[in-house]
Amino acid sequence: MTEQPAKVRQSFLVPEMAYVRKVQTEDVFMWLSKGWTDMKLLRKTSMAYAGLFLFIGLFISFGFYFMGLPYLILPSLTGFLLVGPAIAVGFYEGSRRRQNGEPFTLIHALGGFRRNTLAIMAIGIAQVFLFMIWIKMAFTVFAISFPGIMPEWGHIIERTFSMEGLHFGLMLLAEGSIFAAGIFLTGAFSLPLMVGRKTMLIPAMVTSAYAVIKNFHVMILWAAMITAIMFTALVTGLGLIFAFPLIGHATWHAYLQVMGEEGPDE
């Protein structure tokens, strides 16, 4: 059972910050269950919305291929997941609307950012900037791992299972983990806060980081579940069209339980 918050006034750095509740590991599975329910009820819009961004991801990948930059396809696909929190705004809006008994269409999903335009655009721009840095670092790692090798498919496949390929994979994994940890810390709840409470950028990021730290063990499990779902979806290809909505809707329910729409004394 989830601990009930103490009925005391909690002071915040700024008024927009939310009260953070303590949750338990079993709550992670409840979030996924509620996310699954939302996905089933909103499946047409949610899957169409997910499919749109999957198409964009494939377009970027084919773009790198035809530009003669195949070594950037894998980093672009993984980096595309780094900007996932911004994309998930449409799913948060869907769950919010279902909760309030409001209709939800693709127009509503695409327009979800309008509930807090400036803050959501700011974090979206920041994540795109991080994505660009990630791609640049992937190029650097390739150059370090395969000195003197042209970045072509034949060379990449030939060296994949070599010592250089192992170094490349490990270095890319290490860099990706650092990026993902930072984004998860500040982004786990910041965008749901922006949609639900119309919180501004910095208060939302600070509150998100505090919520992750306060529920550290639970959030480690939550991050592991997200990673497992996304990995399974990537292996199966089209599974991403189910994984994105499931995680997006489940994250909204995680936000509602950890922070809710109201503080303890409101």
Side-chain angles (χ1 to χ4, degrees):
M1 296 294 293
T2 305
E3 293 181 11
Q4 296 297 319
K7 297 296 182 179
V8 296
R9 180 172 294 276
Q10 176 170 319
S11 61
F12 307 121
L13 295 177
V14 291
E16 293 89 349
M17 289 180 69
Y19 179 85
V20 175
R21 297 178 174 88
K22 194 81 171 168
V23 293
Q24 308 298 323
T25 53
E26 58 264 27
D27 293 324
V28 170
F29 303 98
M30 180 185 68
W31 303 339
L32 289 170
S33 176
K34 290 184 175 181
W36 178 259
T37 298
D38 279 2
M39 186 181 75
K40 287 193 298 182
L41 294 174
L42 305 172
R43 58 185 178 277
K44 291 183 179 179
T45 300
S46 291
M47 290 183 181
Y49 182 73
L52 175 63
F53 286 99
L54 286 176
F55 174 80
I56 293 173
L58 290 174
F59 180 79
I60 292 173
S61 298
F62 280 112
F64 282 133
Y65 176 79
F66 288 112
M67 290 169 61
L69 304 172
Y71 59 95
L72 290 182
I73 292 178
L74 180 59
S76 71
L77 289 175
T78 54
F80 191 69
L81 300 180
L82 297 178
V83 300
I87 295 172
V89 166
F91 302 123
Y92 306 153
E93 178 67 4
S95 290
R96 187 194 70 80
R97 283 180 164 271
R98 192 185 84 79
Q99 175 188 342
N100 295 333
E102 300 173 2
F104 179 56
T105 66
L106 187 59
I107 298 299
H108 294 131
L110 292 171
F113 71 93
R114 291 189 295 179
R115 283 187 54 79
N116 194 350
T117 304
L118 291 179
I120 293 174
M121 286 184 64
I123 199 169
I125 291 170
Q127 289 179 343
V128 170
F129 180 69
L130 286 174
F131 177 75
M132 295 171 64
I133 293 176
W134 164 250
I135 294 296
K136 184 66 176 179
M137 291 181 68
F139 178 84
T140 303
V141 169
F142 182 91
I144 293 173
S145 302
F146 303 102
I149 300 297
M150 289 295 293
E152 298 176 352
W153 273 119
H155 293 143
I156 292 174
I157 295 173
E158 180 184 346
R159 299 295 186 97
T160 297
F161 300 104
S162 66
M163 189 58 68
E164 294 95 335
L166 178 61
H167 290 162
F168 176 66
L170 291 176
M171 291 176 68
L172 206 61
L173 178 62
E175 287 185 0
S177 298
I178 294 171
F179 269 78
I183 289 176
F184 183 75
L185 185 68
T186 58
F189 297 108
S190 55
L191 275 158
L193 268 170
M194 292 176 188
V195 173
R197 298 174 66 104
K198 299 186 178 181
T199 306
M200 296 308 293
L201 178 63
I202 300 303
M205 293 175 69
V206 171
T207 306
S208 176
Y210 175 65
V212 172
I213 293 170
K214 183 172 182 177
N215 294 286
F216 185 74
H217 293 96
V218 177
M219 297 310 295
I220 288 293
L221 175 60
W222 178 229
M225 293 296 294
I226 292 175
T227 301
I229 292 170
M230 293 306 299
F231 177 79
T232 303
L234 280 169
V235 170
T236 57
L238 291 177
L240 287 171
I241 206 169
F242 300 98
F244 273 138
L246 174 60
I247 294 172
H249 291 305
T251 298
W252 177 258
H253 290 286
Y255 151 72
L256 287 180
Q257 186 178 7
V258 174
M259 299 174 186
E261 296 290 290
E262 305 290 343
D265 57 337
E266 297 175 321

